[in-house]
Amino acid sequence: MNENGRQNWRWTTLSGAVVLLVLFALVAHGELWEVFGVFHMRIYFADLMAILAAGQAHVAGLDVYESNPFDPLGRPHVYGPLWLLSGHLGLTVSDAWWMGLLLALLFLVMALRVLAPRSFGASLVVVLVLLSPPLLLGLERGNNDLVIFLLLAGAGSAGASAIRWRQAEELALLVLAAVLKFYPLVALMSLWSRAGELRRIFGKAGLAVLIFGGLWWLQREGFSRGLAISPRPETVFSYGFSLLFGTWKLLVMHWELLSAGMVCGGVLVVTLLWRSWVVLWHSLPLWGVTTSWAVAGGASWLFCYLVNTNYQYRAVLLLLVLPWWLALGSETVEHAVARLGRRLCALLVAALWIAAPKYWWAEFFQETEFTATPGTPWVVFIFGIEQMLWLALSAAIAVGLTGWAWRRWRHV
């Protein structure tokens, strides 16, 4: 291994050690979860329990799309039928503890492999992102968005290989992710990040769509029922483009503070990204594994952000975008590009971590919905800032991906 390789592994190992140390502290002292802005449910891996309970109920002959007696919280199944295979494998709610630990470990290993910090600054960004409230919430709940991250990250790595069976593995992982949670179907755009004939790339994408369509048709009733009851959160702890408009009616009593928060967030965004859009348009390489991750994660994030409202842990998709921004912020590129990369990383860290003070204030006043309690005005102000940060980050991803697609098409 050369000196650069040793340096990369050194910072990656250090980042992983810090994250694991904090996670051990959180488990040993459960009250620390709230210090990090995470509501701890006192039972770990609650979302994973819901999936295992659905499989258990399915084997028992119950309707999994109704209230489930096997789940500690009685939740119905809100995903596709493929998750129900857990019941046929003999898995039950009692297996959640070791499966949750395994999922968390695999996620951290893959996240560190994808992000691979190469300097102190990059390592600091990686640690702050992995220990941010949305990511910790996903780990604490054992949420299945972590599974989607693993599949998309694995697909990007497989597609970068010149071995033919590994390229078939990429296609299989993308289809599996789409069947499990619907939205990763847009990640098929990442197939275009490979050098090669356009006809062959479109043929692979068409084959993937046909396989997905066939699986959906065979289990269309389950897919339809799952989609019909899938969560559409509208709380101060959710993200989504529609919240920029829908919350004005819900927060009509505090529109001044909401406006003030959005203005503050907008001023911050404009200050940091002013005159950077042209650089951003040309910033994503035409092909490569970093491009594949960025397209898969960025397209999935944009689809979720524009089409639905999302819980905080959906931000795990942005871990696939972050290597692109870390590469821009490295010292080996020109100043304007490096400055853009560092500012995008700073905005992402700010957007993720602003969830902590919002949680502290909301928890102090027992405020979790769009209601008029004494704490609402301050939560609304933070919410306004936060939504502008997510809007700017989403716009940055959209500009970067659009620029990449246009340049990729012209190259062909």
Side-chain angles (χ1 to χ4, degrees), residues 326-408:
L326 288 173
L328 293 181
S330 67
E331 298 178 358
T332 59
V333 296
E334 59 182 278
H335 177 68
V337 178
R339 180 178 59 190
L340 171 62
R342 291 165 187 167
R343 290 182 175 183
L344 287 170
C345 289
L347 280 176
L348 177 60
V349 170
L352 291 169
W353 271 97
I354 200 174
K358 182 179 63 175
Y359 173 82
W360 301 332
W361 200 264
E363 185 67 14
F364 182 77
F365 284 101
Q366 295 297 304
E367 174 56 84
T368 57
E369 305 289 340
F370 292 127
T371 55
T373 67
T376 301
W378 302 106
V379 174
V380 167
F381 178 73
I382 298 175
F383 174 80
I385 297 175
E386 179 187 46
Q387 295 304 311
M388 292 305 294
L389 294 179
W390 287 119
L391 176 63
L393 289 168
S394 301
I397 294 171
V399 170
L401 294 190
T402 304
W404 164 79
W406 173 252
R407 290 180 292 111
R408 183 73 174 88

Side-chain angles (χ1 to χ4, degrees), residues 257-274:
L257 280 168
L258 179 60
S259 301
M262 288 185 171
V263 168
C264 289
V267 169
L268 174 62
V269 167
V270 170
T271 301
L272 292 179
L273 299 182
W274 182 249

Side-chain angles (χ1 to χ4, degrees), residues 305-334:
Y305 180 78
L306 294 173
V307 172
N308 198 8
T309 55
N310 310 274
Y311 288 114
Q312 290 176 308
Y313 39 66
R314 190 58 52 80
V316 68
L317 295 172
L318 296 180
L319 291 181
L320 295 166
V321 178
L322 187 53
W324 165 27
W325 294 346
L326 288 173
L328 293 181
S330 67
E331 298 178 358
T332 59
V333 296
E334 59 182 278

Side-chain angles (χ1 to χ4, degrees), residues 2 46 62 71-72 91 95 122 150-151 160 218-219 237 246 254 261 268 315 334 336 362 366 377:
N2 58 31
L62 302 179
D71 178 46
L91 299 171
D95 294 301
L150 288 173
L151 294 174
L218 291 174
Q219 304 179 80
F237 299 113
H254 305 290
L268 174 62
E334 59 182 278
Q366 295 297 304

